[in-house]
């Protein structure tokens, strides 16, 4: 049967507004061609629907009613104190801080020490000036991803972080993405993190909001990560945008031999969040540990989708995600682990656990193991449960008031995932963010 | 003083009555023991005193210090001085013992109008008590009761009792699962807490515990009621004769 594919209002708007947006986007003729190619891929793919297996539980085509315009070119003024307040507990973490307001680099709010170990540049600047910048937008291994295609087409700015070989960073690189626009708007951010051979680094992406920002927003963010031979990267993302918006995120990680990658994501307070993490093992002996916590209430929908591709032998993967769902919130966890025929001695373990605190919340869990090698150890598990009322009573009988007893037990549940964060100050800040959320305070300052 | 008057209790979602008009009075300064066979309603009484959900009081009242506690939440009862040592102390993965103790102590102090203890003050407060119960501080850095032996759990339970400074202590089958050494440590802990400002109710199946914690009064509970009361010698009598004659009477 041959059916003309009808485009939704959002799809049409995204395609049509590209022509006018393209002129303002950074990049040479080569970059413009890349963007055009991406846009035509998007035109062919359309927004993903639940009929696309990877989007089975998050029907983006249905959820995205309209495309929002780009934010005003003159970003609203944000003072350093506003950024501090928006970061909440994260502000106390000593870091190389690089700030973006509505997707645009804000040099006056950024404090980077150039000490030869780490360089952070604005993507927009590099796209305009660097002849080899096309690779910064490359995602050729993910040609079938409509969200990534939009990201390439519209990417306005982002951070390009280079960690020198053998560098041992004394503090994390904190990339702060502040939502400030008072009108609903769309932004596409593209980051690149390259960790040189043998280097040790921590890179954090924090998505936060100013109190006066519009409730509605659309963010499409993608971070390409390349971890060199024997290097170790802790990569964290805190999605705390507070509001009624859509947060679409992609991490595309490629690991060299003996690399060690520890990814962690905390998501709380976004109406629709889709966090995709794709990891490819390109060299033997590498290890990943992906973990995170997602906290949803109201009508929030938080989707964590992992694709771990064991393309080479002798690699290890661990995944642990913890969710807390209240009200009508919906959590989605999809964990695909591919073990290619040559990837012998692969060791993979995956676990997703969710606390469902209301009869109206929903959790969809889909582990997928595709194993083509025969000498491997792989396992997965998924649980969902309510709080143990006997434990709540036990705490209350010791004088702990009920709300505090519940919060304490939920915190202990999330704690197992937070323990995966090795950086002490970051782990404490994340714990405090979760603690605030559980007590119905805005996780990171501002009004929730 | 604890006054339980004609207490009738059933399970909230079943019609079966468990406590059938129970009367019991424990003045401060006294330790009373309730003995009875399995299924007589002993643990139900303990839970109803602590305010556990799932039970419905259909008639009667429980007064503590002259005030009815039936409408109080478990945490309010704890603040009023009620403490239940559980027959099966619960494991709380992910919450360090010290965090749990400090949260509980400060919640209770706050409710009693006392200033909260700082971390160093709390540590001083808990350390001596833990040592007397042969509890290593490192053990309290681990999650509450997780991986503890039966004896360790009961000792941790008595430590909770000591730090919360209750005035009404209810010990539900505290002797179950204890070897003789653990039994002595736990009993010493309980005896050390005997005071004229404190009432204690020791619930047990066996007389063994009452050799260590000698009660002022012993009550025999069968089928939801106190069937006989006497002094400590009643426990020894029961050990010989068993509960059969009371069960026959109750039926």
């Amino acid at each position: 049967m041959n059916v003309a594919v009808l485009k939704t209002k959002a799809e049409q708007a995204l395609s049509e507004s590209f022509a006018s947006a393209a002129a303002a986007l950074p990049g040479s003729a080569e970059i413009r061609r890349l963007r055009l190619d991406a846009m035509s891929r998007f035109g062919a793919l359309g927004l993903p629907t639940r009929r696309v297996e990877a989007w089975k539980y998050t029907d983006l085509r249905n959820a995205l009613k309209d495309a929002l315009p780009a934010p005003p070119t003159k970003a609203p003024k944000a003072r350093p104190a506003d950024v501090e307040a928006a970061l909440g507990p994260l502000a106390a973490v000593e870091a190389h801080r690089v700030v973006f307001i509505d997707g645009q680099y804000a040099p006056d709010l950024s404090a980077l020490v150039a000490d030869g170990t780490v360089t952070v540049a604005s993507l927009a600047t590099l796209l305009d000036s660097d002849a080899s910048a096309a690779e910064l937008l490359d995602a050729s291994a993910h040609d079938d991803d409509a969200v990534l295609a939009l990201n390439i087409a519209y990417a306005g700015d982002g951070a390009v972080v280079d960690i020198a070989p053998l560098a041992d960073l004394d503090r994390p690189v904190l990339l702060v993405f502040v939502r400030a626009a008072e009108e609903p708007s769309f932004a596409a951010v593209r980051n690149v993190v390259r960790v040189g051979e043998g280097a040790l680094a921590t890179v954090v992406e924090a998505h936060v909001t100013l109190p006066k920002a519009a409730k509605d927003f659309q963010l499409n963010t993608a971070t390409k990560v390349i971890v060199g031979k024997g290097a170790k990267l802790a990569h964290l993302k805190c999605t705390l945008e507070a509001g009624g918006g859509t947060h679409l995120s992609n991490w595309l990680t490629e690991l060299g031999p003996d690399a060690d990658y520890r990814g962690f994501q905390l998501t709380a307070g976004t109406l629709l969040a889709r966090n995709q993490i794709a990891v490819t093992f390109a060299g033997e002996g590498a290890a990943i540990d992906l973990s995170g916590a997602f906290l949803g209430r109201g009508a929030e929908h938080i989707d964590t989708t992992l694709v771990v591709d064991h393309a080479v032998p002798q690699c290890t993967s661990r995944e642990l995600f913890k969710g807390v769902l209240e009200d009508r919130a919906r959590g989605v966890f999809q964990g695909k682990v591919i073990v290619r025929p040559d990837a012998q001695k692969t060791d993979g373990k995956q676990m997703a656990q969710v606390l469902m605190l209301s009869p109206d919340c929903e959790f969809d869990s889909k582990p997928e193991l595709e194993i083509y090698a025969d000498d491997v150890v792989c396992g997965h598990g998924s649980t969902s449960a309510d709080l143990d009322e006997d434990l709540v009573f036990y705490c209350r009988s010791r004088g702990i008031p009920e709300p505090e007893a519940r919060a304490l037990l939920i915190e202990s549940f999330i704690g197992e995932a937070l323990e995966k964060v090795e950086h002490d100050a970051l782990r404490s800040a994340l714990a405090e963010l979760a603690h605030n959320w559980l007590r119905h305070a805005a996780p990171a300052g501002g009004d929730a | 003083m604890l006054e339980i008057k004609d207490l009738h209790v059933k399970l909230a979602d079943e019609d079966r009555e468990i406590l059938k008009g129970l009367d019991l009075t424990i003045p401060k300064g006294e330790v009373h023991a309730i003995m009875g066979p399995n299924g007589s309603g002993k643990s139900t009484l303990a839970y109803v005193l602590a305010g556990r959900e799932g039970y419905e009081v259909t008639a009667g009242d429980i007064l503590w210090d002259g005030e009815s506690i039936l409408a109080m939440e478990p945490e309010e009862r704890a603040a009023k001085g009620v403490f239940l040592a559980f027959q099966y102390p619960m494991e709380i993965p992910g919450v360090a013992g010290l965090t749990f103790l400090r949260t509980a102590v400060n919640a209770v102090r706050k409710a009693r109008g006392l200033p909260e203890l700082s971390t160093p003050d709390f540590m001083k407060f808990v350390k001596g008590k833990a040592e007397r119960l042969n509890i290593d501080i490192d053990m309290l850095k681990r999650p509450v009761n997780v991986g503890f032996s039966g004896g360790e759990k009961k000792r941790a339970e008595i430590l909770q009792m000591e730090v919360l400074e209750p005035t009404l202590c209810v010990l539900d089958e505290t002797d179950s699962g204890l070897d003789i050494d653990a039994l002595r440590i736990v009993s010493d802990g309980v005896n050390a807490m005997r005071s004229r400002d404190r009432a204690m109710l020791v619930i047990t199946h066996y007389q063994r515990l009452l050799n260590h914690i000698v009660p002022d009064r012993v009550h025999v509970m069968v089928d939801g009621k106190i069937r006989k009361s006497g002094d400590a010698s009643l426990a020894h009598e029961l050990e010989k004769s068993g509960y059969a004659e009371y069960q026959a009477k109750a039926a």
Side-chain angles (χ1 to χ4, degrees):
Chain A
M1 201 167 67
N2 210 343
V3 183
V5 181
L6 284 174
K7 291 210 178 298
T8 64
K9 196 176 166 196
E11 286 168 338
Q12 219 159 359
L14 283 164
S15 295
E16 281 167 9
S17 65
F18 180 68
S20 58
L25 289 166
S28 60
E30 191 193 359
I31 304 289
R32 275 200 295 280
R33 260 198 314 282
L34 259 180
R35 293 186 189 277
L36 265 175
D37 287 351
M39 208 57 225
S40 70
R41 277 203 305 281
F42 174 74
L45 291 163
L47 287 168
T49 73
R50 63 191 147 81
R51 278 185 290 279
V52 177
E53 185 59 29
W55 292 79
K56 187 173 179 183
Y57 305 108
T58 303
D59 192 324
L60 192 62
R61 196 173 196 243
N62 197 30
L64 221 58
K65 296 295 180 213
D66 206 348
L68 298 175
T73 41
K74 275 204 91 60
K77 263 277 177 236
R79 294 168 299 133
D82 298 334
V83 177
E84 292 282 311
L87 279 171
L90 286 170
V93 178
E94 210 178 312
H96 296 298
R97 196 186 291 180
V98 182
V99 179
F100 295 78
I101 305 286
D102 290 322
Q104 302 296 317
Y105 177 51
D108 50 328
L109 294 170
S110 303
L112 189 74
V113 186
D115 57 1
T117 59
V118 54
T119 320
V120 182
S122 143
L123 176 90
T125 310
L126 289 182
L127 288 181
D128 277 331
S129 62
D130 191 337
S132 62
E135 64 170 303
L136 299 175
L137 290 185
D138 177 61
S140 46
H142 306 271
D143 265 355
D144 55 347
D145 190 310
V147 171
L148 266 174
L150 279 178
N151 182 271
I152 295 167
Y154 278 98
D157 207 346
V160 178
V161 181
D162 281 291
I163 316 283
L166 299 175
D168 182 357
L169 294 200
D170 62 343
R171 66 189 73 179
V173 176
L174 176 59
L175 308 175
V176 187
F177 301 91
V178 182
R179 212 161 64 70
E182 290 170 24
E183 294 300 319
S185 60
F186 164 83
V189 168
R190 176 66 164 221
N191 305 305
V192 177
V193 177
R194 290 179 286 217
V195 187
E197 287 191 7
L200 298 173
T202 298
V203 175
V204 186
E205 300 172 32
H207 292 269
V208 297
T209 300
L210 297 189
K212 283 163 97 182
K215 286 267 171 248
D216 196 11
F217 69 93
Q218 287 165 356
L219 177 77
N220 184 326
T221 173
T223 302
K224 184 172 169 169
V225 182
I226 298 159
V227 186
K229 182 181 178 184
K232 178 173 179 178
L233 175 68
H235 187 196
L236 294 87
K237 184 161 86 85
C238 300
T239 309
L240 308 158
E241 279 153 328
T246 305
H247 175 106
L248 302 173
S249 162
N250 268 288
W251 278 3
L252 308 171
T253 300
E254 194 182 301
L255 301 179
D258 300 317
D260 185 353
Y261 180 68
R262 303 182 66 85
F264 183 91
Q265 298 194 337
L266 172 72
T267 307
T270 300
L271 189 60
L272 173 61
R274 163 92 169 187
N275 292 312
Q276 294 193 154
I277 305 177
V279 180
T280 304
F281 290 98
E284 293 185 21
I288 61 161
D289 192 308
L290 300 178
S291 56
F294 51 93
L295 315 173
R297 62 166 62 105
E300 289 164 7
H301 179 122
I302 307 171
D303 176 330
T304 303
T305 294
L306 315 177
V307 180
V308 176
D309 190 347
H310 286 270
V312 294
Q314 310 271 8
C315 292
T316 305
S317 60
R318 292 286 178 273
E319 292 110 38
L320 174 66
F321 283 76
K322 296 262 187 172
V324 178
L325 302 172
E326 295 180 353
D327 308 325
R328 287 160 296 136
R330 186 171 177 192
V332 176
F333 178 84
Q334 304 187 101
K336 184 186 263 192
V337 178
I338 305 162
V339 183
R340 306 269 173 198
D342 289 340
Q344 301 295 0
K345 304 287 181 193
T346 289
D347 176 353
K349 277 191 191 67
Q350 180 181 95
M351 177 59 80
Q353 294 177 318
V354 165
L355 271 184
M356 302 179 72
L357 302 176
S358 134
D360 302 317
C361 58
E362 179 176 335
F363 177 54
D364 300 292
S365 179
K366 189 177 70 176
E368 289 175 276
L369 302 185
E370 285 183 16
I371 302 175
Y372 304 101
D374 51 20
D375 185 11
V376 302
V377 182
C378 281
H380 68 82
S382 177
T383 65
S384 58
D386 195 353
L387 266 192
D388 183 338
E389 288 302 323
D390 289 341
L391 281 184
V392 176
F393 171 67
Y394 189 61
C395 295
R396 295 176 73 191
S397 76
R398 269 67 185 131
I400 302 171
E402 185 177 6
E404 182 58 33
R406 289 185 182 278
L408 186 72
L409 294 173
I410 298 169
E411 266 176 271
S412 76
F413 170 79
I414 305 168
E416 202 189 335
L418 286 173
E419 286 300 314
K420 299 278 193 172
V421 177
E422 291 176 340
H423 190 283
D424 290 336
L426 279 171
R427 189 176 58 251
S428 314
L430 292 169
E432 199 178 332
L433 288 164
H435 178 96
N436 294 346
W437 183 88
L438 285 169
R439 285 152 189 83
H440 287 260
D447 62 344
Chain B
M1 185 159 72
L2 174 71
E3 297 163 87
I4 302 175
K5 296 175 176 172
D6 189 33
L7 190 69
H8 290 258
V9 174
K10 69 176 200 69
L11 289 174
D13 50 9
E14 261 182 61
D15 276 337
R16 194 165 55 87
E17 192 167 55
I18 301 172
L19 299 186
K20 303 173 175 175
L22 185 122
D23 289 288
L24 179 67
T25 300
I26 309 178
K28 280 192 180 167
E30 291 191 9
V31 175
H32 288 208
I34 285 189
M35 300 183 71
N38 290 329
S40 59
K42 303 190 300 291
S43 284
T44 297
L45 175 63
Y47 283 139
V48 170
L49 282 166
R52 188 183 188 135
E53 281 171 26
Y55 299 100
E56 191 183 320
V57 175
T58 53
D61 206 349
I62 302 173
L63 306 182
W64 173 236
D65 274 343
E67 192 180 359
S68 172
I69 61 168
L70 285 183
M72 291 181 193
E73 299 292 349
E75 55 267 38
E76 293 175 67
R77 299 182 195 206
K80 292 271 178 208
V82 179
F83 182 91
L84 167 64
F86 280 53
Q87 181 178 3
Y88 303 106
M90 303 216 174
E91 300 183 0
I92 315 181
V95 179
L98 284 168
T99 307
F100 182 71
L101 285 178
R102 190 156 52 88
T103 306
V105 165
N106 280 335
V108 162
R109 288 180 66 91
K110 201 175 155 195
R112 292 175 188 165
L114 297 168
E116 294 186 16
L117 291 180
S118 67
T119 304
D121 285 347
F122 172 76
M123 287 307 292
K124 260 179 256 159
F125 175 69
V126 82
K127 214 165 171 249
K129 295 183 191 309
E131 276 166 10
R132 277 195 297 280
L133 286 163
N134 208 8
I135 295 173
D136 193 34
I137 284 290
D138 281 340
M139 203 168 113
L140 298 175
K141 290 176 180 161
R142 283 156 49 190
V144 178
N145 288 329
V146 175
F148 287 18
S149 70
E152 285 171 332
K153 283 182 183 174
K154 292 293 168 84
R155 276 184 276 147
E157 202 70 359
I158 300 304
L159 178 63
Q160 290 182 21
M161 183 162 90
E162 291 200 15
V163 297
L164 290 172
E165 300 176 323
T167 44
L168 173 62
C169 303
V170 181
L171 296 108
D172 186 13
E173 307 266 1
T174 292
D175 48 336
S176 69
L178 290 189
D179 61 33
I180 192 71
D181 291 327
L183 187 67
R184 195 169 51 238
I185 293 169
V186 165
S187 304
D188 288 349
V190 174
N191 286 328
M193 287 193 71
R194 292 177 88 144
S195 107
R196 58 193 168 86
D197 303 319
R198 197 169 270 141
M200 289 191 174
L201 176 60
V202 179
I203 293 171
T204 182
H205 192 89
Y206 301 105
Q207 180 265 335
R208 182 178 76 148
L209 177 67
L210 304 181
N211 289 337
H212 297 270
I213 306 171
V214 181
D216 298 296
R217 301 281 292 164
V218 173
H219 308 276
V220 182
M221 183 167 167
V222 175
D223 194 29
K225 268 184 104 151
I226 302 293
R227 305 289 169 178
K228 188 174 183 183
S229 299
D231 60 17
S233 64
L234 180 57
H236 294 276
E237 247 174 67
L238 282 169
E239 196 70 4
K240 281 185 225 116
S241 59
Y243 298 111
E245 67 169 297
Y246 303 100
Q247 278 164 316
K249 266 186 223 162

